[in-house]
Amino acid sequence: MIKPKVISLITACALWLPLIFFSLLLTHNAMLYFTHGGEYGILPEKLIARLDPFWNIAFYIHLPTGVLCLLTPVFLLSKTYFKNLHQLHQSIGKMYVWATLLFVCPTGMYLAVYAKGGIITQTGFMIQGILLAVFTYQGYRAAVNLNKSAHVRNMIRSYAVAAVVITFRILHILFFLLKVPYADNYAISQWLGLSVNLLLAELFITSKNTYQKPFTIKSQTL
């Protein structure tokens, strides 16, 4: 009979290893925009958007802060890390919250105005930015109020929305291989990615019944 700890380890690896791999892959691709000039990736097809100086500012702020938003939850959502190194968890958590609220969400929503796929895709990216901001802020307020259960639930939802960038790309490639028309592919991948991630987040929260005990440390200003 397989021990529960082994099952837990296998489950954790099945969840985190793909997320870490794709997060690092996206990080590598994002950094290439700073080293390969203005003709890399999506830039050649963004001729109109690049005429807007605010789009350029938003784009080059969104890239590094988005990477930070993707990578930090690898540490923040670890139970062992959370229990044993709470002070460090809190410091990294502050970084995630403020990077997300001050940079990732505002720039992402501005970039959404120029997103491919028309109004349907643009609306989807806008809603994604709003949900990311709402869940992150609710998680932050729950931490300040020492409500551990609400804090972790909302941060799981926050990361699920942030990780849509990964799900979107996987679905986009899949639908491309299935020969779905490009414009439809973009819209379907965006909305389906957001829906799937939110559903998985709620299933994960329900199955784990995560962190029901209240905080036992003194409140600190985040």
Side-chain angles (χ1 to χ4, degrees):
M1 182 176 179
I2 303 177
K3 295 182 179 180
K5 287 187 177 180
V6 175
I7 296 176
S8 178
L9 178 61
I10 294 173
T11 303
C13 290
L15 172 66
W16 285 111
L17 289 180
L19 282 173
I20 293 172
F21 171 78
F22 284 110
S23 295
L24 291 175
L25 181 61
L26 285 174
T27 299
H28 173 263
N29 292 340
M31 293 305 101
L32 291 178
Y33 281 98
F34 292 93
T35 60
H36 282 58
E39 300 306 317
Y40 175 75
I42 66 170
L43 291 179
E45 61 188 54
K46 291 290 185 180
L47 297 178
I48 296 177
R50 289 166 64 186
L51 296 176
D52 180 356
F54 292 106
W55 185 92
N56 288 280
I57 294 171
F59 183 76
Y60 284 103
I61 290 176
H62 190 77
L63 285 175
T65 55
V67 165
L68 183 67
C69 186
L70 268 181
L71 294 180
T72 50
V74 173
F75 302 97
L76 297 174
L77 296 178
S78 168
K79 287 185 179 181
T80 301
Y81 181 79
F82 181 68
K83 290 178 180 178
N84 298 337
L85 296 171
H86 184 83
Q87 187 62 45
L88 188 57
H89 171 100
Q90 191 175 58
S91 298
I92 295 177
K94 293 177 185 178
M95 190 187 308
Y96 175 82
V97 167
W98 296 122
T100 300
L101 294 180
L102 296 180
F103 300 109
V104 176
C105 293
T107 58
M109 286 187 283
Y110 192 85
L111 295 175
V113 176
Y114 290 92
K116 293 181 290 185
I119 189 65
I120 295 176
T121 307
Q122 292 163 0
T123 302
F125 281 120
M126 191 69 69
I127 291 175
Q128 182 179 333
I130 294 171
L131 289 177
L132 180 58
V134 169
F135 290 140
T136 302
Y137 182 73
Q138 287 179 339
Y140 156 74
R141 290 304 308 169
V144 171
N145 294 329
L146 306 183
N147 187 339
K148 183 184 292 186
S149 178
H151 169 65
V152 178
R153 287 198 305 271
N154 281 293
M155 296 315 291
I156 288 172
R157 292 170 183 138
S158 172
Y159 182 58
V161 176
V164 171
V165 65
I166 296 175
T167 314
F168 167 79
R169 280 161 175 77
I170 294 173
L171 291 172
H172 192 55
I173 294 172
L174 176 61
F175 291 136
F176 173 79
L177 295 175
L178 293 174
K179 302 187 184 303
V180 175
Y182 186 78
D184 296 337
N185 182 344
Y186 215 79
I188 294 171
S189 298
Q190 202 285 321
W191 279 96
L192 185 59
L194 180 59
S195 301
V196 167
N197 279 27
L198 287 174
L199 176 61
L200 290 176
E202 295 306 317
L203 290 174
F204 183 80
I205 291 168
T206 301
S207 65
K208 294 297 183 180
N209 198 24
T210 315
Y211 292 114
Q212 293 301 314
K213 295 180 181 180
F215 281 107
T216 57
I217 64 168
K218 293 182 179 180
S219 173
Q220 297 186 28
T221 302
L222 291 175

